[in-house]
Amino acid sequence: MSKADLHIHSKFSNRPTNFFLKKLKAPESLTEPRAAYELAKRRGMDFVALTDTDSLEGFAEIAHFADAIPAIETAVQFPEDGCPVRLLVYGLSEAQLAKIVALRGQLMVVREYLLAEQLYHVVARPLEPHDGKLSADHLERLLLLFDHFEARSGGRQERTNVFTSAYLDALTPEYLDLLQRKWKVTPTSEKPWQKGQIGSSNDYCGQYVGLTWTETPAGATPSELIAHLRSRAGAPGGIHGSTISNAHSMYRVASRLYAQKVLRREGDIKGILELILTRVLTPERPSTRLVARSLFGLFRGLFKLRKAPSPIERKLIAEIYRAYRELPKEERLGGIDRDDLVTFDARLYNMADRVLSQVSYRLLSDAADDFARGEIGSGLPFAAALLPIQSVMAPYLYSFDKLNRDRTLIREIEARTEGTLELPKPPPHKKVAWFSDTVTDVNGVSMTLHRMSEMAEKLHADLEIICSVASSRAPQGSKFLNFPPVGEISIPDYELQKISVPPILKIIRYLESQRFDEYIISTPGPIGLIAMFAAKLFKVPVRAIYHSDFPQHVRQITGDEGLEKTTWKFMRWFYGMADAVYSPSDHYRKQLVEHGFNPRRLFIYTRGTDLDFYNPRHRDEEFYKPHGIADRIIFVYTGRVSKEKNLDVVIDAFAQDELLQRKAALAVVGDGPYREELMARKLPANVVFPGFVKGKQLAKAYASGDVFVFPSTTDTYGNSVLEAQASGLPSLVSNEGGPKEIILPGESGLALPGYDVNAWREAMRSLAESDELRHRMAAAARARAATRDWSTAFREFWDEDPYAKADEEVRAVVIAPL
């Protein structure tokens, strides 16, 4: 048997197709032809083909080797729309190359010439949509026009290679006849459904040569090898590419360009870019001393306006050095076989993720501390320093985008060939990833996610709830997947709420490896932003839920209307990227429309409650006795104790009324940043704060009360209200927000002006004085809640397909940039 790497780029491929390298004004490759040849031979290749773009200069430098194959890569276009296709041509002469170049990429004309000259040719990377034009229509015609395809490429990931090979293997005479009649194109071969397949490294950085190949029956010369390939006797083998290897290829080319253009001018100074992109990007472990020297060299080269680094530059150097030193030994780059690039790339990617995330977190944390102290000028440089750190991730992110552009094309092919070709079928049930920045906090979002996860387990739904919280607070359910953050940053004036700094690259890599059919996003925080970004990369439809009224929260916490307007702009931008947006109530749906959201993309998200868990039978007359409020009508609030919950209205209403103080009590159950301030006030003795409770104690807290009060004007839904209704409590709620839609006003509760203390006092008095009214509303509350169980809510949401209902002609939710 013979092995050949049939697609390698050398420094004579001087027309890059890579956007990133174009921006750097870098050539496609800087690999020396002799170096590529020797590496291929060391890795066991019997034949080697340098396929430089429209050039045989690379081949000329190794032409004296009998096992070198003259070859090129050339670009052709479909005549009607200019859609580009890349061909590999083998065994050609300089004269034939000149003729191909003279034909100026005309697909049909070039094809006719190749057939006339009997030049063996292959469609390279057939599923790569080079400029987004490639469609199933183009691919169908390529199947009629060409007989040989690059089915396994070291430049494409396994998902693409496996599908390409399966697609080519599945072709039938009937299918090709159907295409022939459809496109009026006559194939040249007798059996056009039998396609030749090759494998190649598609290397342009000089590292992956010879790791992907084509195996044929033994051949003594290049001509014999090509003869085997013509007869379709080749079989692809070796490793698949990945987004990681693609990014590292770009880094390696950039590193060589840096070494050529920068280091030669700067003398012997070594920069961190060279360290990362040459020493680190080869299977060697850089020493700690070299890391330190390189860091200082980099900043000496980058910041030429001064001789010594500034304080922020020194801070950045120190943080990178610190993050590198904190890496466990097993995560560093030593002890890897020089040809095991798969292991090396994976470890380097993980190392980059850890170092970049740690440095970003520390800079962001320092900036947040300065902002919290009011030292804006001190914090801004730290925030600005994040930009060059994040820019290091650009090749990774570009690779994720580039190597996943074919997902839409593959789905199109699968849909078009269903029932015609025997292709691997996706799972019959859908697989959903649900994202949230809050999963264990005391709020409606967390509660909803836990109930949904329980229903998913019960109904065997394929759901993963993805979050990033400290391991000590990670949810335990089997449906939760936690990526521990590199750190957490407190929000000024909201200390109990923290923002996580997730491991961005690790999460994106995981999402790429999974075939999720849909993303659901509950929060517009860091995890939500990563999910939205990944959805665009991997072409996954998104449902985003508007759980919380963040603009009003911001106004209430800060008192700054300007910040509220800025938050609305962010909300429009974020939710404008979703394919469908869910509002927990019609009230907020109307509000979103008023703020510029497209009503055709807005849907109502109905939730449920556990009717067995929240039940009047859990009433315990002893429950509130330890707090000194027995034998009274007990008004209960449960939930987060914070300013935006508008608790002052209820407390003031109670504290200002003698009858309420004589006959009733008020229990504020829960915890939050406002609790200590409220407890420090001189309030009546029968206003108590039992603190945070959960589980059965929470069920008792509801059922052991008599009336539920929920004055919040910013809740988009109000899970607590539904839980209280299920527990048999009449509910007093604000007439602003979503909770008023949970009750039946006048039957199971009352909707009151949110900030009218007198209205709340009168309503509380009426229920405290009338047992008949209280009991009648309690019965209605339980009956009302009985229509909303979690099983029904889950099935309705899970089975709904909102995308067909949304206006397909309007891509964004936003219709007015208010």
Side-chain angles (χ1 to χ4, degrees):
M1 303 296 287
S2 295
K3 285 184 179 180
D5 190 343
L6 298 170
H7 192 177
I8 305 170
H9 298 277
S10 81
K11 66 180 182 181
F12 295 103
S13 280
N14 52 14
R15 286 189 290 174
T17 58
N18 184 301
F19 171 82
F20 181 76
L21 295 178
K22 283 181 180 179
K23 287 297 182 181
L24 290 177
K25 297 182 179 179
E28 187 166 44
S29 174
L30 288 169
T31 304
E32 293 292 335
R34 180 67 178 262
Y37 173 84
E38 291 177 349
L39 182 56
K41 297 301 292 183
R42 181 173 69 74
R43 287 176 173 164
M45 296 301 103
D46 299 295
F47 295 94
V48 181
L50 298 184
T51 51
D52 296 325
T53 307
D54 293 333
S55 174
L56 287 170
E57 291 180 83
F59 165 74
E61 293 195 7
I62 60 171
H64 55 286
F65 294 110
D67 49 8
I69 304 172
I72 65 163
E73 179 178 313
T74 191
V76 295
Q77 298 88 35
F78 278 89
E80 68 276 10
D81 58 7
C83 176
V85 177
R86 299 206 159 256
L87 301 178
L88 302 172
V89 184
Y90 299 90
L92 73 170
S93 66
E94 286 284 0
Q96 290 170 320
L97 169 61
K99 180 63 175 177
I100 291 171
V101 173
L103 295 176
R104 297 182 180 276
Q106 302 175 69
L107 185 149
M108 299 303 295
V109 179
V110 170
R111 171 181 176 267
E112 293 301 321
Y113 177 76
L114 296 176
L115 292 172
E117 294 291 306
Q118 296 185 344
L119 289 172
Y120 174 66
H121 53 282
V122 176
V123 178
R125 309 185 299 280
L127 295 185
E128 182 174 346
H130 297 282
D131 61 357
K133 292 182 179 179
L134 188 68
S135 68
D137 286 347
H138 296 104
L139 197 57
E140 288 176 352
R141 282 175 284 174
L142 289 178
L143 293 175
L144 296 169
L145 293 169
F146 298 98
D147 292 324
H148 300 272
F149 293 80
E150 186 180 35
R152 179 176 299 201
S153 169
R156 307 300 294 174
Q157 54 189 333
E158 183 175 5
R159 172 187 56 80
T160 300
N161 290 336
V162 169
F163 180 84
T164 302
S165 185
Y167 183 42
L168 296 174
D169 288 340
L171 299 177
T172 64
E174 295 77 16
Y175 182 67
L176 266 292
D177 183 62
L178 184 151
L179 295 184
Q180 185 176 341
R181 286 184 277 110
K182 176 180 180 180
W183 295 109
K184 307 296 188 293
V185 175
T186 303
T188 56
S189 63
E190 294 182 358
K191 297 179 179 180
W193 60 91
Q194 295 179 355
K195 300 300 182 185
Q197 301 183 29
I198 71 165
S200 64
S201 67
N202 190 21
D203 177 273
Y204 60 91
C205 71
Q207 288 289 326
Y208 301 94
V209 172
L211 295 180
T212 310
W213 60 78
T214 302
E215 192 168 15
T216 69
T221 65
S223 295
E224 290 183 14
L225 177 80
I226 291 175
H228 288 310
L229 293 173
R230 284 185 191 279
S231 65
R232 301 172 176 81
I239 69 171
H240 300 278
S242 68
T243 50
I244 296 176
S245 63
N246 188 267
H248 291 168
S249 294
M250 288 186 278
Y251 279 121
R252 289 176 176 115
V253 173
S255 75
R256 292 186 181 183
L257 182 69
Y258 170 77
Q260 288 182 5
K261 294 189 175 182
V262 177
L263 298 186
R264 290 178 183 175
R265 293 201 307 266
E266 296 295 328
D268 295 328
I269 298 173
K270 287 183 176 288
I272 189 64
L273 293 179
E274 185 194 17
L275 168 68
I276 294 175
L277 302 173
T278 56
R279 291 297 299 272
V280 173
L281 289 173
T282 54
E284 303 171 20
R285 182 174 61 188
S287 67
T288 300
R289 183 178 179 183
L290 180 57
V291 173
R293 281 187 57 205
S294 301
L295 286 167
F296 284 103
L298 166 70
F299 283 92
R300 180 177 167 185
L302 290 181
F303 300 98
K304 295 174 181 157
L305 298 178
R306 60 182 74 85
K307 293 183 179 180
S310 70
I312 188 60
E313 293 160 10
R314 285 195 295 269
K315 171 72 173 175
L316 192 52
I317 293 170
E319 291 296 355
I320 295 174
Y321 184 46
R322 176 183 172 187
Y324 179 79
R325 290 197 64 180
E326 289 178 353
L327 286 173
K329 288 186 178 181
E330 63 272 14
E331 293 187 19
R332 297 188 185 182
L333 301 179
I336 305 173
D337 183 86
R338 62 179 178 173
D339 290 334
D340 186 3
L341 271 294
V342 174
T343 300
F344 181 81
D345 282 337
R347 197 176 296 180
L348 177 58
Y349 181 85
N350 291 334
M351 187 184 81
D353 179 52
R354 279 185 65 118
V355 171
L356 293 174
S357 297
Q358 286 284 356
V359 173
S360 299
Y361 162 67
R362 286 169 182 151
L363 292 173
L364 189 59
S365 180
D366 288 345
D369 289 343
D370 285 338
F371 292 155
R373 292 192 296 267
E375 299 173 2
I376 306 299
S378 299
L380 284 176
F382 289 120
L386 289 168
L387 295 176
I389 293 298
Q390 299 306 313
S391 67
V392 176
M393 290 195 295
Y396 286 124
L397 301 181
Y398 172 76
S399 292
F400 279 117
D401 175 47
K402 177 186 175 185
L403 268 68
N404 285 282
R405 291 174 192 167
D406 59 15
R407 287 178 181 258
T408 301
L409 175 60
I410 289 175
R411 292 193 188 103
E412 184 184 3
I413 296 169
E414 289 175 332
R416 187 172 291 193
T417 58
E418 185 176 2
T420 306
L421 296 181
E422 292 295 328
L423 290 174
K425 296 186 181 298
H429 55 275
K430 70 177 180 177
K431 183 176 183 179
V432 177
W434 198 320
F435 301 84
S436 179
D437 292 273
T438 175
V439 286
T440 53
D441 301 294
V442 183
N443 57 43
V445 180
S446 295
M447 187 281 296
T448 297
L449 290 172
H450 282 271
R451 297 294 85 78
M452 287 298 206
S453 72
E454 292 168 3
M455 288 299 106
E457 288 184 11
K458 181 178 179 180
L459 301 173
H460 306 291
D462 196 349
L463 170 68
E464 284 188 9
I465 300 175
I466 295 173
C467 56
S468 181
V469 297
S471 297
S472 60
R473 296 187 291 108
Q476 301 303 310
S478 65
K479 294 296 183 180
F480 288 90
L481 177 61
N482 185 48
F483 290 86
V486 295
E488 295 180 315
I489 299 171
S490 297
I491 302 175
D493 298 322
Y494 215 59
E495 290 75 11
L496 292 182
Q497 187 68 44
K498 297 179 182 294
I499 294 178
S500 294
V501 180
I504 299 173
L505 293 178
K506 184 178 293 184
I507 295 174
I508 292 178
R509 176 66 171 158
Y510 173 77
L511 295 176
E512 183 194 41
S513 71
Q514 304 297 305
R515 185 165 178 164
F516 288 112
D517 299 292
E518 182 181 43
Y519 291 168
I520 300 171
I521 303 176
S522 280
T523 54
I527 282 290
L529 288 166
I530 292 172
M532 194 68 80
F533 180 68
K536 303 309 171 188
L537 286 179
F538 307 139
K539 314 301 184 289
V540 179
V542 175
R543 286 196 270 179
I545 305 173
Y546 192 85
H547 273 293
S548 303
D549 189 352
F550 283 109
Q552 194 165 352
H553 288 346
V554 168
R555 186 189 66 193
Q556 289 190 344
I557 293 171
T558 67
D560 191 326
E561 290 187 6
L563 281 178
E564 180 189 10
K565 291 180 180 179
T566 300
T567 307
W568 267 119
K569 289 181 180 178
F570 173 77
M571 293 294 116
R572 286 194 295 272
W573 170 78
F574 179 83
Y575 287 97
M577 292 186 285
D579 298 282
V581 177
Y582 280 74
S583 168
S585 64
D586 189 59
H587 170 86
Y588 270 96
R589 182 184 182 279
K590 292 175 181 176
Q591 186 178 107
L592 293 177
V593 171
E594 291 173 359
H595 282 84
F597 287 69
N598 183 354
R600 292 175 179 172
R601 292 285 181 104
L602 287 170
F603 302 86
I604 300 298
Y605 174 43
T606 302
R607 282 177 271 188
T609 193
D610 188 330
L611 297 173
D612 290 326
F613 188 80
Y614 297 105
N615 196 294
R617 70 172 180 267
H618 296 307
R619 185 176 181 88
D620 181 356
E621 300 295 345
E622 303 294 316
F623 184 81
Y624 286 107
K625 279 188 177 181
H627 304 285
I629 55 171
D631 302 320
R632 289 172 175 268
I633 303 302
I634 299 177
F635 292 87
V636 178
Y637 165 86
T638 67
R640 184 174 177 78
V641 184
S642 51
K643 288 182 179 179
E644 75 273 8
K645 296 300 183 180
N646 201 30
L647 292 170
D648 289 313
V649 170
V650 171
I651 292 174
D652 289 347
F654 188 90
Q656 294 173 15
D657 192 276
E658 293 183 2
L659 182 143
L660 289 174
Q661 294 179 45
R662 187 172 63 253
K663 296 191 62 173
L666 173 62
V668 179
V669 181
D671 198 4
Y674 199 39
R675 182 169 178 258
E676 289 187 9
E677 183 176 333
L678 290 176
M679 292 177 66
R681 294 184 185 177
K682 294 181 179 179
L683 297 173
N686 48 355
V687 176
V688 299
F689 298 85
F692 174 73
V693 296
K694 63 180 181 178
K696 292 181 180 179
Q697 294 298 104
L698 178 59
K700 287 184 178 182
Y702 281 116
S704 303
D706 298 287
V707 180
F708 188 69
V709 288
F710 197 78
S712 171
T713 62
T714 62
D715 272 64
T716 57
Y717 186 70
N719 290 292
S720 298
V721 178
L722 185 54
E723 292 164 357
Q725 295 263 287
S727 301
L729 269 64
S731 299
L732 304 181
V733 302
S734 166
N735 62 2
E736 298 180 43
K740 69 177 184 295
E741 295 177 23
I742 298 174
I743 69 168
L744 285 173
E747 295 185 30
S748 68
L750 299 172
L752 307 168
Y755 298 96
D756 190 336
V757 175
N758 288 331
W760 281 83
R761 186 174 69 237
E762 290 302 318
M764 293 168 74
R765 281 178 63 105
S766 66
L767 284 167
E769 289 181 305
S770 174
D771 292 344
E772 187 277 331
L773 175 62
R774 220 171 42 250
H775 294 155
R776 176 166 51 82
M777 282 192 166
R782 176 65 185 179
R784 171 71 168 167
T787 64
R788 299 195 179 189
D789 65 285
W790 272 116
S791 178
T792 302
F794 179 86
R795 289 177 186 275
E796 288 178 355
F797 185 69
W798 185 263
D799 294 337
E800 184 173 18
D801 179 10
Y803 310 112
K805 302 175 187 176
D807 183 0
E808 295 182 358
E809 296 182 0
V810 183
R811 179 63 188 87
V813 173
V814 176
I815 59 174
L818 300 179

